[in-house]
Amino acid sequence: MRTTSHGAQLLPGGGVRFSVWAPFAERVAVRVRAAGHGPVRLHALERGERGDWSGEVAEAGAGDDYWFVLAREGEAPRDLPDPRSRWQPEGVHGPSRIVAPGDWRWTDEGWRGVAMPELVIYELHVGTFTREGTFDAAIRELPALRELGVTAIELMPVAEFPGARNWGYDGVHLYATQSSYGGPDGLRRLVDAAHRTGLAVILDVVYNHLGPEGNYLDAFGPYFTGAYRTPWGRALNYDGPDSDEVRGWVLDNARQWIRDYHVDGLRLDAVHGIFDHGAVHLLEEIAAAVHAEGDAAGRRAVCIAESDLNDPRVVRATAEGGYALDAQWADDFHHAVHALLTGERSGYYADFGEAGQVAAALREPFVYAGQYSPHRRRRHGAPSTGIPRDRFVVAIQNHDQVGNRATGDRLAGLVEPARYRLAASLLLLSPYVPLIFMGEEYGETNPFQYFVHHSDP
């Protein structure tokens, strides 16, 4: 796979090299606006191999804004943000901003990360975790989480999304850190403070789809495919013609979070929506990229997948035909506990509800490991024989299991206190890595529903 470095790259002697993959364009230029809404200048880019366009602008620098200007025969040129934009200070439709990640002064030189067996994960949504809804505001809560016994915080996605409020799964700029949360430096301050407090930081990333608003990738190249569909929209092109560039776009993004933000790991959203029939699966490549970046920095860097397939290949070693991720979510534990304690039987809860299934979930993370699933009306899953139990993450609540409910109600509002304590005990005493959803530690009952702030009518 080619390793062309796209985006806005600061040059050692000054100036910026702009590069973009845009095989659909017939002409490409970059429009640069000097910092502070200064003068705007247009610079043509030269076409290279396989749809690459690049050029150097001597007077450009960190803090300047820019747009790629794409032109096709018979169409008016379009000013568009960079597919690898590191910052969108004016939102998903605005210009991209040049940043200098190497200028940040870290204070976590002695930090080496947290091993999987030591993880106690606290999932939080930056926008609702505090009244301010920013990275900086979250910092003041870190000591209390460490005192609670948490060893890692897991941030719901922070890639730039439309408006100021969103779950994060409608992001469209994978490389840009949400501007309303505090942008790139805000995330760096949070990660640096977490490490000083003794907390690892895991970042939720979404590589199975993108949101609709502010998604301009179709103007650049074949980022999407019609061969597959996901429940959330078009599938990304990971195994069709020109897919090497799309895969590289994702792999470089995974590397960025570990390298430039010192994040300790990635949680990959819904990997069953990542379709790849190539000889080497994208998940294997992502895991290898994350591990390599961690090794280069002298830190642990883990890769955790969300999958509803109950497929042990996700975490098995590559020598055993697996993808070598460090862990995966095991939702059968949640379903078994929830169905037994609440009595709910709708949807996938139809497969659960017996006390014996809770016991089974404590022995084997996949209650359905090849058995017939009434909900799916087919056999489901495979055994996880021989895989250490700390390779599985379990929860009694998380953003999906709360937020996808019609009214966003939490477990504390569904069962009496004794049953809530029983659920907590099962979670914390299980052989797996526990994940706590924000507010769960004190029995929060405020609903957490899906929400989105579209600016496009």
Side-chain angles (χ1 to χ4, degrees), residues 215-232:
N215 183 348
Y216 296 106
L217 295 177
D218 279 331
F220 290 88
Y223 279 85
F224 299 95
T225 175
Y228 319 106
R229 281 196 66 82
T230 80
W232 316 281

Side-chain angles (χ1 to χ4, degrees), residues 319-332:
E320 300 173 359
Y323 304 146
L325 274 74
D326 298 278
Q328 67 173 301
W329 281 22
D331 282 347
D332 280 8

Side-chain angles (χ1 to χ4, degrees), residues 338-359:
H338 185 97
L340 180 65
L341 298 184
T342 66
E344 293 181 12
R345 297 293 183 273
S346 60
Y348 42 65
Y349 295 132
D351 283 348
F352 300 90
E354 299 175 6
Q357 290 175 312
V358 175

Side-chain angles (χ1 to χ4, degrees), residues 9 63 221 233:
Q9 305 291 328

Side-chain angles (χ1 to χ4, degrees), residues 4-8 66 82-86 175 245 248-250 252:
T4 303
S5 182
H6 292 130
Y66 68 100
D82 183 357
R84 295 193 182 215
S85 169
R86 293 173 179 265
Y175 287 72
E245 288 293 346
W249 173 69
V250 164
D252 286 348

Side-chain angles (χ1 to χ4, degrees), residues 177-321:
T177 307
Q178 180 61 25
S179 49
S180 63
Y181 290 170
D185 285 352
L187 178 58
R188 291 188 179 99
R189 284 191 291 271
L190 174 58
V191 174
D192 210 17
H195 290 170
R196 287 197 304 272
T197 312
L199 293 169
V201 180
I202 298 169
L203 181 63
D204 198 340
V205 292
V206 184
Y207 295 147
N208 51 56
H209 78 292
L210 279 84
E213 186 186 345
N215 183 348
Y216 296 106
L217 295 177
D218 279 331
F220 290 88
Y223 279 85
F224 299 95
T225 175
Y228 319 106
R229 281 196 66 82
T230 80
W232 316 281
R234 292 184 299 165
L236 285 154
N237 174 25
Y238 291 134
D239 62 3
D242 299 308
S243 59
D244 283 357
E245 288 293 346
V246 184
R247 295 168 74 97
W249 173 69
V250 164
L251 291 169
D252 286 348
N253 180 255
R255 296 183 182 104
Q256 171 196 258
W257 297 120
I258 308 299
R259 181 187 63 242
D260 296 342
Y261 291 90
H262 288 204
V263 164
D264 299 284
L266 302 181
R267 180 264 188 189
L268 310 181
D269 181 61
V271 299
H272 46 274
I274 293 175
F275 301 101
D276 177 14
H277 288 94
V280 180
H281 199 282
L282 180 64
L283 291 179
E284 181 182 336
E285 291 195 308
I286 292 173
V290 166
H291 294 153
E293 285 295 335
D295 290 344
R299 295 182 279 112
R300 290 187 184 89
V302 300
C303 210
I304 302 172
E306 178 202 12
S307 171
D308 75 348
L309 301 178
N310 286 10
D311 185 353
R313 286 178 298 180
V314 172
V315 294
R316 288 200 188 280
T318 54
E320 300 173 359

Side-chain angles (χ1 to χ4, degrees), residues 77-152:
R78 301 175 67 189
D79 287 14
L80 299 175
D82 183 357
R84 295 193 182 215
S85 169
R86 293 173 179 265
W87 193 7
Q88 291 293 120
E90 298 176 28
V92 296
H93 302 291
S96 304
R97 180 161 293 175
I98 302 168
V99 300
D103 288 350
W104 183 260
R105 295 294 175 260
W106 292 93
T107 65
D108 64 350
E109 293 83 2
W111 178 256
R112 294 295 176 262
V114 179
M116 282 303 308
E118 305 303 320
L119 283 179
V120 177
I121 302 172
Y122 188 93
E123 184 187 25
L124 66 89
H125 176 269
V126 173
T128 57
F129 183 56
T130 63
R131 290 187 180 276
E132 299 90 338
T134 63
F135 295 124
D136 286 321
I139 291 173
R140 68 169 180 259
E141 306 296 334
L142 298 179
L145 293 180
R146 190 68 186 92
E147 185 178 359
L148 180 68
V150 169
T151 62

